[in-house]
Amino acid sequence: MNKQVRVRFAPSPTGYLHVGGARTALFNWLFARRHGGRFILRIEDTDFARSSDEMVEGILHGMRWLGLTWDEGPFYQSQRIDRYSEAVERMLGDNSAYRCFCGVEDGRKNYGENTTAEHECAALSTEVSGRRAASGEPFAVRFRVPPGRTSFTDKVMGKIEVDNSILEDFVLLRSDGVPTYHLSVVTDDMDMEITHVIRGADHISNTPKQILLYRAAGRPVPEFAHLPLILGPDKQRLSKRHGATSVMSYADAGYQPEAFFNFLSLLGWSPGDDREIFSRDELTSLFSLEGVGKADAVFGLDKLDWFNSRYLRNMPLDKLRELAVADLKASGVWNNADAAAPDILASMDAALELVRPRARKANDFSGNFRAFFTDDFSYDTAAAAKFLSAPELMELIPALLEKYAASAEFTLQSTESDLRGFAEKNGVKAGLLINALRVALTGQGVAPGLFEVMLFLGRERTLDRMRRLCDYLPRIIQG
């Protein structure tokens, strides 16, 4: 590439940064960084009724969270209205556009429903058209689609060709003076010297019209790359019914930006490598539009959880501790003023190393792993119903408690040996006791190894939690 790569991400602030938009921004960012180019941020805010400063800030916040820093901008289309008017005047002057007076009582509906009237307006002389406009008659401005065919080779989808006869003379400027998408985006891309337009496949139908605008202006046409859509697990287009779609809602749910970045990068793109975990630098060096597939990508929370769990598992302990403390504080679990005291740090770190292999999200620490950081926890309802309902537990758990209290040792080996010997003597499966104690000690049906948990808690805390179970069993067994 001889010319410096210039790409842009151009969201509309009618909503927060969603997954599809974030993936588009990420691919543009990777492409720019891969080729030493410029990543430009443009806010397409000409839908004045629906755009808001809150949504703009939400988009910027989401991009910052993902680390998608921009080199230029943000530029706002609402501040460039005069520039679009200039572009329209140029096209009226060279006869590549014309004023249309048909059905413009509501300029936003003026999209060519009345074909006959549209052709009548196209045939008006410049003098007549100008006179009617000068008299105050409302009008929109349409592009005059030339005869022939428009083709382009998409960097992802391949060659696409359209007969111009199927393209209506599309509106450039509505009668209220607001530019349409086609006018504003092409004017901006020309002014900002965009070399590659990388956007969602839902924009493919817009591309032939926009290429005609470039040609009418005598400007080079950029390369186009249309990214496959993102679908939910049901193969329908990703929407709120599939769960959170706003990027920051995933941040709030405890996902890490590095994991989310890695996960998004592989939605529709493959590095040609069996690996799935890549650093940001590796993704930058490997990214290419040739690796983007045509097939729609599927967004699955299970897969995102897998990515996030791998990042938590490999995270430095001090950073993991920082995440855990923040989550515990936010949930009211952590209230120790001296969080840096050696004994507190040692206990915290021991707990983190124990639960780290099972952590999926940062808020698991105050959720599924709450019992490792406080005695104030409850039993998971499903786990209690499944593992604490056997009547024989009412006699077995108090007897096992006494055995642990009287045992000379309380080690990893002795706690397991004592339990298994007790189970054999009483003619029950060890699993019955292990599952019940797991719920008693952690509140969960799935947790780290029981005997590792007992060793972490120590004899006294283990016995206290077993006594709590003894008090609880009659309620669940006898109703």
Side-chain angles (χ1 to χ4, degrees):
M1 298 182 185
N2 297 326
K3 190 175 182 179
Q4 184 188 49
V5 165
R6 292 177 63 83
V7 297
R8 46 69 166 180
F9 176 53
S12 175
T14 55
Y16 295 108
L17 182 65
H18 55 80
V19 169
R23 197 271 304 265
T24 297
L26 189 152
F27 280 18
N28 274 279
W29 187 91
L30 286 173
F31 188 76
R33 296 293 176 263
R34 172 73 177 80
H35 295 286
R38 306 286 286 176
F39 176 56
I40 299 160
L41 177 59
R42 186 171 74 222
I43 306 297
E44 300 192 340
D45 58 345
T46 55
D47 187 343
F48 301 114
R50 298 172 59 209
S51 298
S52 70
D53 292 341
E54 177 188 359
M55 295 302 179
V56 170
E57 186 50 44
I59 291 170
L60 301 185
H61 188 35
M63 293 183 67
R64 292 187 188 106
W65 180 70
L66 278 171
L68 300 177
T69 52
W70 50 93
D71 303 305
E72 299 176 25
F75 301 105
Y76 295 84
Q77 286 189 338
S78 60
Q79 299 173 4
R80 290 172 50 81
I81 299 298
D82 290 345
R83 180 69 188 91
Y84 308 133
S85 297
E86 291 173 7
V88 163
E89 288 301 320
R90 175 186 57 77
M91 285 188 277
L92 286 172
D94 63 21
N95 205 35
S96 59
Y98 61 90
R99 299 180 185 90
C100 180
F101 301 89
C102 314
V104 295
E105 293 81 4
D106 180 354
R108 292 181 181 274
K109 295 181 180 178
N110 189 11
Y111 280 86
E113 297 87 347
N114 190 333
T115 304
T116 302
E118 178 184 318
H119 280 277
E120 290 175 358
C121 289
L124 290 175
S125 68
T126 302
E127 181 183 356
V128 171
S129 172
R131 187 165 60 246
R132 290 177 64 174
S135 71
E137 186 174 350
F139 64 89
V141 176
R142 290 181 182 274
F143 180 74
R144 197 184 300 274
V145 175
R149 301 181 68 81
T150 300
S151 65
F152 65 101
T153 301
D154 191 276
K155 302 289 284 185
V156 174
M157 302 298 177
K159 186 173 182 179
I160 297 173
E161 189 171 31
V162 172
D163 194 311
N164 292 358
S165 64
I166 70 172
L167 305 176
E168 80 279 7
D169 285 358
F170 51 93
V171 175
L172 299 172
L173 194 70
R174 301 183 178 100
S175 60
D176 58 6
V178 175
T180 62
Y181 172 74
H182 297 302
L183 173 63
S184 58
V185 72
V186 172
T187 302
D188 288 345
D189 285 348
M190 288 192 298
D191 288 353
M192 297 173 189
E193 299 183 312
I194 300 302
T195 61
H196 296 75
V197 174
I198 304 171
R199 59 189 180 185
D202 51 336
H203 283 289
I204 287 180
S205 61
N206 293 325
T207 305
K209 297 178 182 179
Q210 294 170 6
I211 288 174
L212 291 175
L213 291 178
Y214 280 100
R215 291 175 178 168
R219 297 290 297 275
V221 178
E223 298 278 358
F224 286 93
H226 289 91
L227 310 176
L229 300 179
I230 299 178
L231 308 179
D234 58 0
K235 302 303 175 65
Q236 300 299 308
R237 188 163 181 176
L238 192 67
S239 67
K240 290 182 179 178
R241 71 177 179 276
H242 297 108
T245 57
S246 163
V247 165
M248 292 314 298
S249 65
Y250 291 98
D252 295 340
Y255 293 99
Q256 299 307 295
E258 298 85 358
F260 202 80
F261 187 102
N262 193 162
F263 170 72
L264 272 187
S265 70
L266 299 178
L267 280 182
W269 171 73
S270 171
D273 192 316
D274 291 338
R275 285 188 304 152
E276 293 185 281
I277 302 298
F278 296 91
S279 70
R280 189 174 296 244
D281 287 343
E282 287 175 320
L283 289 168
T284 299
S285 66
L286 291 170
F287 185 80
S288 71
L289 292 175
E290 288 72 23
V292 178
K294 296 181 181 180
D296 293 334
V298 176
F299 181 102
L301 276 178
D302 288 345
K303 191 64 176 181
L304 176 57
D305 285 348
W306 180 87
F307 271 98
N308 208 61
S309 69
R310 293 305 180 274
Y311 274 81
L312 291 176
R313 186 174 300 179
N314 296 320
M315 185 176 290
L317 183 58
D318 57 346
K319 185 175 179 182
L320 186 67
R321 186 195 311 126
E322 183 180 326
L323 284 178
V325 169
D327 177 52
L328 295 170
K329 283 183 175 179
S331 303
V333 176
W334 184 272
N335 55 14
N336 195 305
D338 192 9
D343 57 333
I344 295 174
L345 281 181
S347 177
M348 166 70 76
D349 291 351
L352 292 175
E353 293 294 10
L354 197 56
V355 302
R356 180 203 287 262
R358 294 179 178 273
R360 295 185 306 167
K361 296 179 289 185
N363 58 14
D364 280 345
F365 301 112
S366 64
N368 294 337
F369 307 141
R370 182 184 179 96
F372 291 87
F373 305 99
T374 178
D375 293 324
D376 179 18
F377 68 95
S378 57
Y379 300 153
D380 176 75
T381 303
K386 183 176 182 179
F387 297 120
L388 302 182
S389 58
E392 56 265 45
L393 290 174
M394 291 183 62
E395 293 185 4
L396 291 171
I397 295 300
L400 181 58
L401 188 158
E402 289 183 10
K403 183 172 183 64
Y404 276 136
S407 178
E409 291 185 291
F410 197 82
T411 64
L412 191 65
Q413 293 74 24
S414 71
T415 51
E416 181 173 7
S417 176
D418 285 348
L419 183 145
R420 295 190 183 279
F422 179 85
E424 183 177 2
K425 180 179 179 180
N426 285 274
V428 297
K429 292 182 178 180
L432 175 71
L433 299 170
I434 290 172
N435 289 331
L437 285 189
R438 183 181 293 113
V439 178
L441 302 186
T442 71
Q444 303 294 313
V446 178
L450 174 65
F451 306 107
E452 286 84 354
V453 173
M454 294 174 73
L455 191 63
F456 163 74
L457 292 173
R459 188 196 303 260
E460 291 309 315
R461 290 181 74 192
T462 296
L463 297 180
D464 284 344
R465 292 186 181 190
M466 290 181 69
R467 293 185 187 100
R468 176 186 175 188
L469 177 60
C470 292
D471 293 337
Y472 177 82
L473 285 172
R475 298 202 302 271
I476 189 170
I477 294 173
Q478 298 175 355

